[in-house]
Amino acid sequence: MRVTAPEATLPPAGLPGLDPALSRLVDVPGVAADAGTTRTWHVLDTGDALTERGLDPVGTIIAVHGNPTWSYLWRALVNASLRRAEAGATAWRVVAVDQLEMGFSERSDRRRTLAQRIADLDALVGELGIRGPIVTIGHDWGGPVSLGWAVENRERLAAVIALNTAVHHPDGAPLPFALRVATARGMLAAGTTGTTAFLDTTLALADLDPAVRAAFRAPYATVARRRGIGGFVADIPATAADESTPALRRMSAGLRELDVPALFLRGPKDPVFGEGHLDDLTERLPHADVHRFEGAGHLIAEERPYADVVLDWLDEKGVATDAAAPGSTAATAPPAAAGHLWDALDARRDDDDTAVIDMTTARDGEPLRVSWRQLSARVDEIAAGLDAFGVRPGDRVSLLVQPGPTLTAALYACLRIGAVVVVADRGLGIRGLSRAVRGAVPDVVIGEVAGLAAARALGWPGRRISAAALPAATSRALGVEASLSDLARAGRGRTLPEPPAPDADAAVLFTSGSTGPAKGVVYTHAQLTALRDTLAAHFGVAAETGLVTGFAPFALLGPALGTRSATPDMDVSAPRTLTAAAVAAAVRASDARIVFLSPAAVANVVATASALDADDRAALARVETFLSTGAPVGIELLRRAQELMPNAVAHTPYGMTECLLVADVTLPEIESAAGDRGVCVGRPLGTGQVRISAIDAEGRATGEPTTDAGITGEIVISAPHLKRGYFRLYLTDREARRGLTDRWHRTGDVGHLDADGRLWVEGRLPHVITTAEGPVTPVGIEQDAETVEAVTRAAAVGVGPVGRQVVVAVVEAGARRPGLASPELTDAVRAATSQPLAAVLVAPTLPTDIRHNSKIDRSRLAAWAERLLAGEKPTAP
């Protein structure tokens, strides 16, 4: 059926995913400019379907599409709501509208403004007899329409939801490029109405099935039926003089007064609505839950399973039922830490002893030393200068500076005024780093030249501050407004603002990206302070202890701990650049008693030990505590590292970006622990707690968290220094605390507790191999394989369908080409483990993450192994 007439009509039959029984036409008295007329709408409405099933809805979801889609956009929500209601879940009536001039609703000769569309929607809601509670959901320009209705009908409103949209356009700012093209003189009519260009371009933003694409095009077959598309574009309020600007401003201002639950779902790959639009929305509704679906774009409803997300969220929030989903676990939340992270810095502000040593900068042949007095003054000056520059509490500041005195001063200055520091290191790679920085939407970027050049080239948001003073021409080219020295001069003598509250956000630290796109982990001031206190108490850090930190997450804690610190001469984002001589030089310069290193750094330190001279070895002999953290470390590597620091107790703490210190174990404890599979990481630190959620036959963590010994499952943790949550990843947050109270976290690691309460890590939850005999964890198998003399590193992966997977070992064994292992190596590896192996494969190197150079990407290896065993030509994994 080809629709050409202007009258409202029902959609043609056979559109994929659309039940014709849910379509209806509704005659609605015209309002505002339409007063005195009657307009006919097409809607998808589940009300009658629920009645036929004997189900009474708890409320109504009003779904409003944007331009140039129609109610078909919401078919997944319509269908999911009915399916779940039939299964006994909460019953919601869903009314998905075709806005007038759009979809299969009536066409007229009127160009509808935003205010008119809000009034139109209200008239429809009234005609349908919908009273409340009401949830609105909108996409694209349906966002302002639905939110505009919400602002004007607060007494009936239960919640608001929005997919990619915007509610504010700054005066003087250009429209997004796609809309500038669409609204350009001579292009508007031709691109939106005279041809299907605008429609085609929008639908091309997602990989749609041809039948679905045809369904979206169905209402817009003729020029007359596309006039609404052109009218929508023409009504975009781009300047203060545009007709719909007042309505947009009233609505966006009114959002600040909404206190109902709010949910924003976003596809970041959107050429129309950018991260800044989401930032504006969250500033207006700071209590909103936000989830960014990495890799999704403008048509997020076609790219991600948003419908169940929406309905689960409504249940979780208790919308319309006043029964929010409960958590479990019988443990209480740990107490918040007292004080501020910079307390020790303040306490030593008149101290001329060394606070920070920069091993990469020399003065008179010696490393640069910064005293406590100098560092404290510099922090105060930069903090006051940032305040004068306009940085306010809650503003996000991306730090693209190598560890050292400059980064230390900038970081503590930001924290002091309540700015939220964003830390994403170069170990993410340029694409991962760009994704992280853009996703965090920094208000300010502080960087060295390389970082500022990347920010300029890749279009990162935020005002620019250079770490060092730059020539005027360079500053102009990079968009730099000031240097840190400029800010320090501006801040000298100024009064600092009040310090932030303990529960205020302090930092967004990005994960390594070893298990998917890097995630921003949010810490409050109290949680960072608790980390400081836990570390100081457990490792006995005092003013004269001294730290050498070759591991980025801990490189900035020296001033917080009140002890001097030195970062070795290395690229902190590339741990394998650290040499034994560089560690010895840093220890000698700082007289440090504690050394922090990452596993990859330890490996290279051991490998370069032959370059140490007598003075280097004497310096390392004074070290009392050696820590390697960030990933599991083999016992032989720990032993060889301790040979270089013979008087140190070797520790290998277990942690993650979400909770930097969870448990700790020493080398003697590891050597005395025997009989268990996996890597022993010791007991919880401080008041932290660890539990295990048992895994089922399909590798899912479904068991109630327990401290019982010998149960293999997901590791669940709690600690005062556990993160607050993830940055704009509501679903990730929800999964991380599934079945738990707020101050607990599912780590995604699998392991068990032994009879002495020690934690053993056996791998990652996604890497559990589900065989016909039951789930198998990979680390124990890998440890077995690595006892074979020819094997330097191994990975155990599953190949085949869930529940019937077979175990395959992939090893590094000096092979130049990937493929099947030799019969001799295969026999040796099989003999080393009790786990039956379907095959043994060799690879020149196993793929690992960039930051640690040690976390094996088993998911990638499993896919590679499956292809190779299926007969594909061997390639590098």
Side-chain angles (χ1 to χ4, degrees):
M1 181 179 96
R2 188 169 186 268
V3 179
T4 60
E7 294 83 9
T9 184
L10 297 176
L15 300 184
L18 189 65
D19 182 354
L22 301 179
S23 278
R24 60 183 292 199
L25 299 179
V26 184
D27 291 332
V28 180
V31 292
D34 259 353
T37 66
T38 297
R39 299 298 185 192
T40 305
W41 296 62
H42 167 252
V43 300
L44 301 178
D45 186 355
T46 65
D48 290 344
L50 291 172
T51 300
E52 291 168 3
R53 292 162 172 79
L55 298 171
D56 188 20
V58 298
T60 302
I61 301 172
I62 304 294
V64 186
H65 68 86
N67 189 28
T69 57
W70 56 287
S71 57
Y72 186 71
L73 180 78
W74 305 110
R75 66 195 181 281
L77 180 61
V78 168
N79 296 335
S81 68
L82 282 177
R83 182 181 67 250
R84 290 165 62 118
E86 289 171 341
T90 307
W92 285 94
R93 178 185 180 185
V94 178
V95 177
V97 308
D98 280 5
Q99 298 197 61
L100 292 173
E101 323 298 338
M102 302 293 290
F104 290 97
S105 286
E106 181 179 340
R107 300 305 195 262
S108 71
D109 58 1
R110 186 173 302 285
R111 183 171 73 82
R112 296 182 181 273
T113 63
L114 175 59
Q116 180 67 47
R117 289 192 176 280
I118 294 170
D120 291 340
L121 181 62
D122 187 57
L124 173 67
V125 170
E127 184 64 27
L128 290 173
I130 301 171
R131 294 289 175 262
I134 293 174
V135 175
T136 66
I137 182 170
H139 170 254
D140 188 81
W141 292 107
V145 175
S146 62
L147 292 170
W149 185 92
V151 166
E152 294 179 7
N153 293 272
R154 298 174 199 173
E155 71 285 354
R156 291 185 281 170
L157 191 66
V160 293
I161 305 169
L163 281 56
N164 291 38
T165 192
V167 299
H168 173 69
H169 187 75
D171 290 342
L175 288 172
F177 177 75
L179 293 182
R180 291 205 302 274
V181 172
T183 56
R185 184 183 298 273
M187 289 294 293
L188 177 58
T192 61
T193 304
T195 70
T196 60
F198 187 82
L199 176 62
D200 294 341
T201 300
T202 302
L203 297 179
L205 296 176
D207 184 15
L208 302 178
D209 180 273
V212 170
R213 185 178 294 107
F216 274 114
R217 294 171 59 91
Y220 304 116
T222 67
V223 169
R225 292 192 62 83
R226 289 194 294 271
R227 287 201 183 106
I229 297 176
F232 240 131
V233 173
D235 190 51
I236 294 171
T239 71
D242 288 323
E243 190 174 3
S244 284
T245 295
L248 186 70
R249 288 179 173 174
R250 281 195 305 274
M251 178 271 297
S252 58
L255 288 179
R256 299 184 189 279
E257 300 175 18
L258 290 186
D259 57 2
V260 298
L263 174 66
F264 299 138
L265 302 178
R266 171 164 168 75
K269 294 173 63 176
D270 188 338
V272 180
F273 301 114
E275 297 290 348
H277 294 116
L278 177 61
D279 212 33
D280 175 72
L281 277 166
T282 57
E283 190 273 330
R284 295 172 191 279
L285 289 169
H287 65 281
D289 293 310
V290 181
H291 189 83
R292 299 169 72 257
F293 288 93
E294 197 62 53
H298 180 70
L299 291 175
I300 183 175
E302 298 298 318
E303 299 180 79
R304 295 294 186 270
Y306 80 96
D308 283 322
V309 172
V310 165
L311 296 168
D312 286 343
W313 177 81
L314 291 172
D315 284 344
E316 179 185 315
K317 295 299 179 182
V319 175
T321 63
D322 295 323
S328 68
T329 24
T332 57
H340 298 101
L341 200 64
W342 57 86
D343 288 343
L345 188 58
D346 281 351
R348 301 190 69 173
R349 65 171 51 254
D350 297 324
D351 191 335
D352 289 316
D353 285 348
T354 298
V356 178
I357 302 172
D358 184 357
M359 300 301 296
T360 65
T361 304
R363 286 188 178 174
D364 301 324
E366 293 292 324
L368 173 65
R369 294 174 179 269
V370 178
S371 70
W372 291 100
R373 185 191 302 272
Q374 291 169 322
L375 181 59
S376 180
R378 192 67 168 179
V379 168
D380 286 352
E381 289 170 355
I382 294 175
L386 286 167
D387 181 59
F389 189 70
V391 179
R392 296 291 174 259
D395 284 356
R396 290 183 294 278
V397 180
S398 179
L399 299 174
L400 303 175
V401 183
Q402 284 288 305
T406 299
L407 177 58
T408 301
L411 181 138
Y412 282 89
C414 290
L415 294 176
R416 175 60 184 80
I417 64 169
V420 180
V421 296
V422 177
V423 181
D425 67 55
R426 287 187 298 149
L428 295 175
I430 191 62
R431 295 179 67 179
L433 178 61
S434 185
R435 184 188 300 116
V437 174
R438 289 179 64 86
V441 201
D443 299 283
V444 175
V445 175
I446 301 176
E448 294 164 342
V449 170
L452 293 171
R456 185 76 166 188
L458 297 171
W460 296 346
R463 302 170 69 188
R464 309 290 198 257
I465 297 172
S466 61
L470 301 175
T474 304
S475 292
R476 285 194 299 273
L478 296 176
V480 170
E481 297 182 46
S483 67
L484 288 177
S485 295
D486 295 333
L487 295 184
R489 281 192 295 272
R492 204 162 291 151
R494 286 177 59 96
T495 301
L496 286 168
E498 287 296 311
D503 61 352
D505 289 350
V508 180
L509 310 180
F510 276 85
T511 62
S512 67
S514 59
T515 56
K519 301 180 288 289
V521 178
V522 182
Y523 280 90
T524 66
H525 285 269
Q527 289 153 7
L528 290 181
T529 303
L531 173 64
R532 174 202 66 189
D533 295 346
T534 299
L535 194 153
H538 185 76
F539 295 106
V541 182
E544 292 308 312
T545 301
L547 304 176
V548 167
T549 52
F551 184 48
F554 293 100
L556 297 160
L557 281 175
L561 292 162
T563 194
R564 65 189 170 278
S565 59
T567 300
D569 187 2
M570 66 177 295
D571 181 350
V572 177
S573 65
R576 285 181 175 170
T577 61
L578 181 61
T579 65
V583 174
V587 169
R588 189 164 49 245
S590 61
D591 193 25
R593 296 295 181 264
I594 298 180
V595 173
F596 278 83
L597 300 177
S598 73
V602 173
N604 202 54
V605 166
V606 168
T608 57
S610 61
L612 295 173
D613 60 24
D615 288 344
D616 292 334
R617 293 185 180 276
L620 293 176
R622 295 197 294 273
V623 176
E624 298 172 356
T625 303
F626 156 65
L627 301 95
S628 179
T629 185
V633 184
I635 190 169
E636 286 304 319
L637 184 58
L638 279 177
R639 287 170 176 156
R640 293 178 65 191
Q642 188 166 35
E643 289 175 4
L644 302 178
M645 294 171 274
N647 298 311
V649 178
H651 293 252
T652 175
Y654 165 69
M656 58 214 67
T657 310
E658 293 85 347
C659 189
L660 291 168
L661 291 173
V662 174
D664 180 45
V665 67
T666 64
L667 178 56
E669 289 173 321
I670 295 173
E671 291 176 322
S672 66
D676 283 54
R677 305 281 281 172
V679 176
C680 181
V681 296
R683 298 176 179 84
L685 278 74
T687 59
Q689 301 175 68
V690 172
R691 282 165 168 61
I692 303 296
S693 173
I695 52 177
D696 61 20
E698 294 185 356
R700 301 171 302 184
T702 55
E704 183 70 19
T706 179
T707 56
D708 292 347
I711 295 175
T712 295
E714 184 176 18
I715 299 168
V716 179
I717 63 172
S718 179
H721 51 280
L722 176 67
K723 49 82 176 165
R724 176 182 69 74
Y726 292 104
F727 184 72
R728 295 181 178 173
L729 290 171
Y730 158 74
L731 294 180
T732 309
D733 265 330
R734 191 178 72 184
E735 177 57 26
R737 64 176 189 271
R738 174 175 49 84
L740 310 171
T741 54
D742 281 345
R743 294 302 299 150
W744 284 79
H745 172 73
R746 292 183 177 273
T747 65
D749 289 337
V750 288
H752 69 276
L753 294 166
D754 66 17
D756 293 319
R758 293 173 299 209
L759 177 63
W760 295 71
V761 178
E762 300 178 54
R764 292 283 298 166
L765 190 62
H767 303 155
V768 170
I769 304 164
T770 57
T771 71
E773 290 73 37
V776 174
T777 55
V779 169
I781 303 168
E782 294 163 358
Q783 291 172 323
D784 294 340
E786 288 167 1
T787 63
V788 175
E789 185 175 357
V791 175
T792 56
R793 186 158 53 172
V797 299
V799 172
V802 173
R804 290 183 291 144
Q805 290 183 321
V806 295
V807 182
V808 173
V810 185
V811 301
E812 287 182 10
R816 292 185 178 182
R817 296 177 180 175
L820 291 171
S822 67
E824 295 78 14
L825 180 58
T826 298
D827 289 344
V829 173
R830 281 177 167 157
T833 182
S834 60
Q835 176 64 46
L837 299 177
V840 178
L841 308 179
V842 293
T845 59
L846 301 184
T848 61
D849 68 298
I850 299 173
R851 179 186 289 177
H852 302 290
N853 298 125
S854 57
K855 293 183 179 180
I856 297 171
D857 189 342
R858 297 189 188 95
S859 297
R860 178 173 161 187
L861 272 180
W864 170 80
E866 187 151 4
R867 293 194 304 270
L868 192 149
L869 293 173
E872 288 191 16
K873 182 179 179 180
T875 58

